[in-house]
Amino acid sequence: IKIFENNNIVDAIKHPEIFGNRPPLIYILNKIFNPFFYDLEKYRLCVFILSLFGPLFLYIGLKIRFKDIKSEYLALLSVIILLSPYYRTSAFWALNENYGIVTAILSLVFLNLSFSKQLIESNKKSFYYFCTLFFSSLCVYFDQKLIIIPLICFLTFFFNVKKIKTIFLICLGYVILSIPFLYL
C-alpha cells in the first residue's frame, strides 16, 4: 500500500520492492476509486462492506438457478459463506481474497442469467455474455487460483452456444481480457 501511496500506478507496478502472490489490480483499483485506501481502519471497513455483498450475490445466483425453492431456504444457504473462517477473516482484516470470491460469484450469476430459460432478448443475452466474460476474467486478476472460474464459464459457453460466431467472439474476449494479465 505504501508503494502505491508514494508512486504513480505505473511506477508502483514496476517498483523493485513490490512483491506478492497476486497481481496488483486490487491496489490499482483502490488507489483510483477508494478514497479511504490509505486510512487503515476505513479501508478495513470498505473491504468488510464489500465482503457483505458476497452472500447477497450468492442469494441472487441461487434464486435464478433454483426458482422453485423457497426464498428463506436460499437465504439461509447463501449466508452459510459467512460461517467460513477464511471468508470472515479476510473481510475483517481487509485481506485480498474476498475480491476474487465476490467476482467469482458474480461471474457465475451472470453465467446462469446467460442460459436462463426466460431470456429471449438477444441484446440482453449479449450483455450477460459480456458480464460473464468480464467478471470471470476479473476474478483471476484478483487471485490466480480462481482460474477455474473462467475455464468453467468458457466450457459452458463452448458446449451450450450454438453459433460459431458467438463462440469466436467469446474466445476473442477472453484473449483480449487476458492481455493485461500477461503484462502484470
Side-chain angles (χ1 to χ4, degrees):
I1 292 174
K2 289 292 182 191
I3 291 171
F4 277 86
E5 182 179 18
N6 298 327
N7 297 292
N8 64 33
I9 292 173
V10 175
D11 291 340
I13 292 170
K14 295 179 178 181
H15 198 278
E17 292 181 21
I18 195 165
F19 62 94
N21 57 356
R22 292 183 177 86
L25 180 65
I26 295 166
Y27 303 111
I28 294 169
L29 291 177
N30 276 302
K31 182 177 178 86
I32 295 170
F33 297 115
N34 190 351
F36 307 115
F37 185 46
Y38 305 116
D39 182 350
L40 181 62
E41 292 305 314
K42 289 180 182 175
Y43 176 65
R44 285 177 57 195
L45 181 63
C46 290
V47 174
F48 181 77
I49 290 169
L50 173 91
S51 297
L52 291 177
F53 282 101
L56 175 67
F57 294 145
L58 185 58
Y59 171 77
I60 292 168
L62 291 171
K63 190 72 177 159
I64 292 166
R65 182 84 168 122
F66 304 105
K67 294 175 183 65
D68 299 334
I69 297 178
K70 289 184 180 181
S71 296
E72 297 84 17
Y73 296 143
L74 296 177
L76 184 63
L77 187 60
S78 65
V79 296
I80 209 159
I81 192 174
L82 297 176
L83 295 177
S84 166
Y86 181 77
Y87 192 81
R88 284 182 316 196
T89 301
S90 183
F92 183 78
W93 293 108
L95 303 177
N96 301 331
E97 288 84 4
N98 290 359
Y99 290 97
I101 294 169
V102 169
T103 53
I105 292 170
L106 268 175
S107 66
L108 296 175
V109 167
F110 282 111
L111 183 66
N112 277 328
L113 283 171
S114 298
F115 295 105
S116 176
K117 302 250 188 272
Q118 298 169 341
L119 188 64
I120 298 170
E121 295 180 44
S122 67
N123 60 347
K124 273 192 176 182
K125 188 175 272 198
S126 299
F127 173 74
Y128 293 145
Y129 284 0
F130 172 76
C131 288
T132 304
L133 262 128
F134 179 74
F135 286 111
S136 66
S137 296
L138 192 62
C139 73
V140 177
Y141 282 90
F142 289 131
D143 201 343
Q144 293 93 333
K145 67 181 169 260
L146 294 173
I147 189 108
I148 191 75
I149 301 299
L151 181 62
I152 289 170
C153 294
F154 175 75
L155 291 175
T156 303
F157 283 133
F158 188 77
F159 289 115
N160 292 307
V161 173
K162 306 291 186 233
K163 295 180 182 178
I164 301 283
K165 180 182 176 186
T166 305
I167 292 175
F168 174 76
L169 289 173
I170 289 169
C171 290
L172 182 65
Y174 274 120
V175 167
I176 290 170
L177 290 173
S178 68
I179 291 172
F181 189 83
L182 298 174
Y183 175 74
L184 293 174

